[in-house]
Amino acid sequence: MVASLQDLKNAKIRLDFVDRYFQAVHATTLLKKDSYREVQLPTDVDKELNPRPFYWMWIETTGQKPEPTVLRMAFDQPTLEKENQRMKVEHDEKIVSLSISPAERWMYQAPKAQLVDYGSFLLDKILASVKKRGAFAIVAPKNLSGSKILIPWLMMNGMFTFRCDMSEQKLWSVAICLENGQIVDEFYNKIRHIEMNPISPQKLLYRLRMSLIDGFQALQTYLEFLVKQQPTDWAEKSLARLEQEQAHINLYYNSLLEDADLEKLDSIKIEHERKLKSLSELYYPTIDIIIEQMALIGLPSS
């Protein structure tokens, strides 16, 4: 889990995130190079990342087997240009070997890679898929011996959204041990290296010393504590900008009121209040706590 969505602006972090996503959804990596990947998608993942409703409707109606989709992804501009040039050369050589007429060549187009940049369509679809697939999970480390005792942890992942006339997101991950109430921050980063498998909830629920609801409420209280520890300079600056904008608006509408006819006074006052309300909604700082994922995780006792 990245510390902030802003971290995905870093090509190396973005590549690692995408690699872990495709590994988790069991996609097949066909080619792996520096800042470049070619991945063949399972059908369910293809449906999530490539919005082609009529194609999928036709496939399902006719019972056809879908052609596997291969994503060609570059993670920086130089790599995109380099790999597209490589594929064009390979394509042109193949076309020559086919001995087809110039009129037929338009039917054969060289494949092209797409740039997986911060804010790109594909990265947004991957983030949406992560959110959809990971809403709730019950897992434990893979290949555990049957004699191992599993301690239940309730993990919550999400983000703080800092809103004013600008916005910023900061990801968080916390967990509580449902056996002793211990709360651990940055929990996902501590377990991300462990390969997990789904397990039956019965293997964990019998060891609960606190309910899932009590655990959830304890984590909510802890998140509220974390919010209070966040820097406040951004909010103070936003309030200062709000005060400045309000002064400009007040000056403008007061000048209108001085010269306005009596029948226009009410409408000017109403518009003035509406403008002030809009400014407050835009500039007033707030922090939203957004829960993206929850998981019940069994970890072996130390």
Side-chain angles (χ1 to χ4, degrees):
M1 186 175 186
V2 292
S4 167
L5 291 180
Q6 298 293 319
D7 289 349
L8 293 176
K9 291 181 178 180
N10 181 288
K12 185 176 181 181
I13 294 175
R14 192 163 61 247
L15 175 59
D16 178 63
F17 173 76
V18 171
D19 275 345
R20 287 187 284 113
Y21 167 77
F22 284 118
Q23 180 183 11
V25 298
H26 307 293
T28 303
T29 300
L30 304 177
L31 181 60
K32 186 174 183 179
K33 300 166 68 174
D34 288 345
S35 298
Y36 183 76
R37 298 289 189 270
E38 290 186 4
V39 176
Q40 182 173 301
L41 302 180
T43 299
D44 60 329
V45 181
D46 195 357
K47 289 181 178 180
E48 292 182 23
L49 301 186
N50 294 305
R52 300 178 290 172
F54 292 108
Y55 171 77
W56 293 115
M57 183 170 60
W58 177 79
I59 288 292
E60 292 167 1
T61 301
T62 60
Q64 299 291 316
K65 185 176 180 180
E67 188 74 19
T69 294
V70 175
L71 287 182
R72 299 170 175 85
M73 300 168 288
F75 292 82
D76 57 54
Q77 190 64 37
T79 301
L80 178 70
E81 296 170 1
K82 175 184 174 183
E83 294 300 327
N84 279 340
Q85 179 61 29
R86 171 187 64 81
M87 288 186 284
K88 184 178 184 306
V89 170
E90 292 176 353
H91 171 77
D92 291 345
E93 291 174 351
K94 182 179 179 181
I95 290 297
V96 170
S97 69
L98 292 176
S99 301
I100 59 178
S101 69
E104 294 174 305
R105 290 189 180 184
W106 70 270
M107 300 174 59
Y108 298 87
Q109 300 292 325
K112 288 187 176 182
Q114 55 184 307
L115 181 63
V116 184
D117 203 356
Y118 183 76
S120 64
F121 175 80
L122 180 56
L123 185 60
D124 286 347
K125 296 299 288 185
I126 289 173
L127 288 168
S129 176
V130 169
K131 181 177 180 180
K132 175 183 176 182
R133 288 172 173 266
F136 191 83
I138 304 175
V139 296
K142 188 178 180 181
N143 300 324
L144 278 177
S145 64
S147 60
K148 285 282 187 180
I149 296 176
L150 294 176
I151 306 301
W153 290 79
L154 178 64
M155 179 181 74
M156 285 172 29
N157 298 330
M159 69 176 69
F160 297 136
T161 299
F162 302 86
R163 298 185 189 278
C164 54
D165 54 322
M166 297 175 285
S167 66
E168 184 177 347
Q169 289 81 37
K170 180 179 180 181
L171 298 181
W172 49 262
S173 176
V174 296
I176 185 169
C177 177
L178 297 176
E179 190 171 77
N180 60 23
Q182 177 189 5
I183 293 178
V184 176
D185 203 357
E186 297 296 330
F187 189 78
Y188 178 77
N189 286 335
K190 293 177 173 62
I191 66 167
R192 58 180 292 182
H193 64 285
I194 304 174
E195 187 175 357
M196 299 283 186
N197 270 351
I199 63 167
S200 168
Q202 280 70 33
K203 293 183 178 180
L204 298 176
L205 295 178
Y206 79 98
R207 291 193 63 88
L208 299 188
R209 297 295 181 271
M210 62 189 306
S211 69
L212 290 172
I213 293 177
D214 288 341
F216 177 77
Q217 291 174 340
L219 288 179
Q220 279 190 312
T221 300
Y222 181 69
L223 288 171
E224 291 169 1
F225 166 77
L226 289 182
V227 165
K228 294 176 181 178
Q229 307 307 306
Q230 300 302 309
T232 60
D233 56 328
W234 66 277
E236 293 164 2
K237 291 176 181 177
S238 179
L239 289 173
R241 291 194 298 274
L242 172 59
E243 185 176 343
Q244 187 177 37
E245 291 296 325
Q246 286 174 333
H248 292 158
I249 290 294
N250 289 335
L251 182 63
Y252 172 73
Y253 279 97
N254 286 339
S255 67
L256 290 182
L257 289 171
E258 289 177 1
D259 301 326
D261 297 332
L262 288 175
E263 63 269 15
K264 292 184 178 180
L265 289 179
D266 287 343
S267 62
I268 291 175
K269 289 179 181 178
I270 291 172
E271 185 178 347
H272 185 187
E273 291 174 0
R274 182 177 60 81
K275 288 284 187 180
L276 290 175
K277 181 179 179 182
S278 296
L279 279 177
S280 294
E281 291 173 350
L282 177 62
Y283 283 92
Y284 196 82
T286 61
I287 303 177
D288 297 332
I289 302 175
I290 301 172
I291 300 172
E292 299 281 4
Q293 180 191 52
M294 295 182 64
L296 183 61
I297 303 173
L299 294 178
S301 58
S302 55

